[in-house]
Every structure is written in structure tokens, then in C-alpha cells.
Amino acid sequence: MYSVIPQSAIAFNPGARLLLPWVEGSVPAGFPSPAADFVVKRHDLNELLITHPAATFMWEARGLSMIDLGIANGDILVVNRALAPMHKNIVIAEVDGDFTVKQFYKRNGSVQLRAGNPTFAPILFKDGQTMTICGVVTAAIKRFR
């Protein structure tokens, strides 16, 4: 049996804005392109990453179980509690009192949590186990320094 934590008030300051420069276009990850005139606008990271401010929190990922899905040790996860989990969403779940980040699988009435690393076995549920979906991961923020 699994449940979803209902949306509740989370400490959030909607008036706090952090406007950062955003260069129009994209930057090549291959060979450099010729210099061009770039238009710089300002974007607020809250607007880019958060759709439900009162239902959003961040949590640091630990471990390597989600590495093949782009989540590395130390990444900051943006988690939205207002979203209902759908098949293949990455979620934060509480399983028998322990928290984990995994990919949500729900097919033919069966629910399991899968790692994004083949060395980790999926979490298959047995009678008596409890799982609560705490939120859907909508973004992962990587820090390089």
C-alpha cells in the first residue's frame, strides 16, 4: 500500500527573488561557435524551477543509486509535493520509515521503486510494508565547485 503526502504549508518566502543573467540561445558543448551578439535578460531561479512554491522543498541527494538518471551524490533535488506521482517519475519516498529517491513504477496495480543504477535492486513491496510518496522530483541542481 502506498500513499501520497498531501500538500501542506512549507516555509517559503515568495517575495525573495534572485534575478540572474540569462544569455539568449545556447552554448555549444562541442566545438566553439563564432562570437555573436548575445541578448542578456534576467530570470528568477524560483520561476524557472518552482511551479508550486508552497508545496516545494529541496533535498540533497546522497549515494549513487540514481546516477544513470542524472542524479549524482550531492545534487540538490527540487521536490514538488503538489504533483501526483506518475509512472517513471522520480520521487522521494518513505519506505518503512526510511527516505529514498527512486523512479516510481506503477503498472497493472503493482507499485515498485527502481534505482537509476543497475547495481541496485528495485524495491518490491510485500504485505505489511508501507510506502509514502513525499513528492515528485522536478529538477536536480548540480554544483561543480
Side-chain angles (χ1 to χ4, degrees):
M1 175 80 182
Y2 79 94
S3 60
V4 177
I5 291 181
Q7 179 179 338
S8 64
I10 297 172
F12 179 77
N13 182 356
R17 296 177 54 91
L18 175 61
L19 296 176
L20 299 174
W22 183 288
V23 178
E24 284 297 316
S26 58
V27 63
F31 293 103
S33 67
D37 292 326
F38 294 103
V39 176
V40 177
K41 296 191 298 187
R42 293 205 172 262
H43 286 274
D44 183 357
L45 287 177
N46 292 316
E47 291 174 11
L48 291 172
L49 297 176
I50 300 171
T51 55
H52 299 96
T56 300
F57 63 94
M58 293 187 289
W59 206 338
E60 185 173 346
R62 181 175 29 103
L64 299 175
S65 74
M66 298 299 287
I67 195 74
D68 291 349
L69 292 175
I71 297 174
N73 188 56
D75 285 355
I76 304 299
L77 306 177
V78 179
V79 184
N80 188 332
R81 292 171 36 140
L83 299 176
M86 296 179 3
H87 180 65
K88 291 195 173 184
N89 280 170
I90 297 173
V91 299
I92 301 292
E94 183 181 5
V95 179
D96 294 333
D98 294 320
F99 291 96
T100 188
V101 57
K102 295 290 181 275
Q103 192 171 40
F104 181 77
Y105 270 70
K106 183 178 180 184
R107 285 291 182 249
N108 303 322
S110 176
V111 173
Q112 59 181 258
L113 298 174
R114 293 186 180 176
N117 180 335
T119 62
F120 290 82
I123 299 172
L124 308 173
F125 294 96
K126 303 174 192 100
D127 286 339
Q129 281 190 300
T130 60
M131 175 184 66
T132 302
I133 301 298
C134 303
V136 175
V137 176
T138 58
I141 302 168
K142 296 187 174 299
R143 295 180 285 190
F144 297 104
R145 288 184 61 169

